[in-house]
Amino acid sequence: MKNRKKLYTAIFFFYALLVFAVSSYPSLEIPFRLPSRFLQPDKLAHFIEYFIFAALYYLFRRQFQIRQKDILIELFLWAMIIPIFDEMHQLFIPGRSFEWYDVIADMLGFFTFIILNIIIYKTRRKDGNH
């Protein structure tokens, strides 16, 4: 159990540092663009990046016997804060800028994980598996 805590803690913090490092890299460019401003490949990357972030955070916090409901509340609060600060810090990176569509994609990643987690929990509970 103790090794599992260390493993989930290490994975989560490594991933969080990786997200910060990638978002701090000057002028990352996607090689192609689509007609819609929101439906761009980088928006999908933002969505996936923060869905994974939420999942790893959930696994990390569950190791400390924290209730699911409390973790989901934490994730909701982080979803309101982290994407905005991530985009704001890019204002100081050459070739990067603040994009509201990136913030929305990040938040959708968080919220999708939260909603799926609630659906799975309620389904398990209904089936008597919890």
Side-chain angles (χ1 to χ4, degrees):
M1 183 68 158
K2 191 174 184 177
N3 288 336
R4 181 185 265 182
K5 278 185 187 179
K6 287 181 182 179
L7 176 65
Y8 283 125
T9 301
I11 290 171
F12 171 71
F13 282 104
F14 174 78
Y15 187 79
L17 285 172
L18 181 65
V19 166
F20 182 75
V22 169
S23 70
S24 299
Y25 191 81
S27 65
L28 282 175
E29 287 295 324
I30 302 294
F32 63 92
R33 308 233 4 103
L34 298 173
S36 168
R37 182 141 189 208
F38 183 71
L39 297 175
Q40 294 297 322
D42 76 308
K43 304 310 176 247
L44 179 60
H46 277 267
F47 174 85
I48 292 169
E49 175 183 6
Y50 281 94
F51 182 90
I52 293 169
F53 188 96
L56 292 175
Y57 182 82
Y58 180 85
L59 291 172
F60 159 64
R61 296 294 282 158
R62 286 295 288 175
Q63 298 308 304
F64 297 94
Q65 311 306 320
I66 298 171
R67 293 181 326 163
Q68 175 197 19
K69 179 181 177 183
D70 294 336
I71 297 171
L72 296 180
I73 290 169
E74 290 173 11
L75 278 172
F76 180 82
L77 295 173
W78 284 125
M80 299 285 115
I81 298 168
I82 292 174
I84 292 172
F85 278 106
D86 184 34
E87 287 299 308
M88 285 177 59
H89 108 276
Q90 290 182 28
L91 292 170
F92 305 100
I93 310 293
R96 301 299 288 266
S97 62
F98 186 101
E99 271 195 56
W100 280 108
Y101 287 124
D102 289 349
V103 171
I104 292 167
D106 297 344
M107 288 178 171
L108 286 174
F110 272 108
F111 296 149
T112 301
F113 176 81
I114 292 168
I115 291 166
L116 286 175
N117 192 284
I118 291 168
I119 291 169
I120 291 168
Y121 177 78
K122 286 186 177 191
T123 303
R124 284 184 179 168
R125 197 167 175 169
K126 182 178 155 186
D127 294 342
N129 293 336
H130 194 270

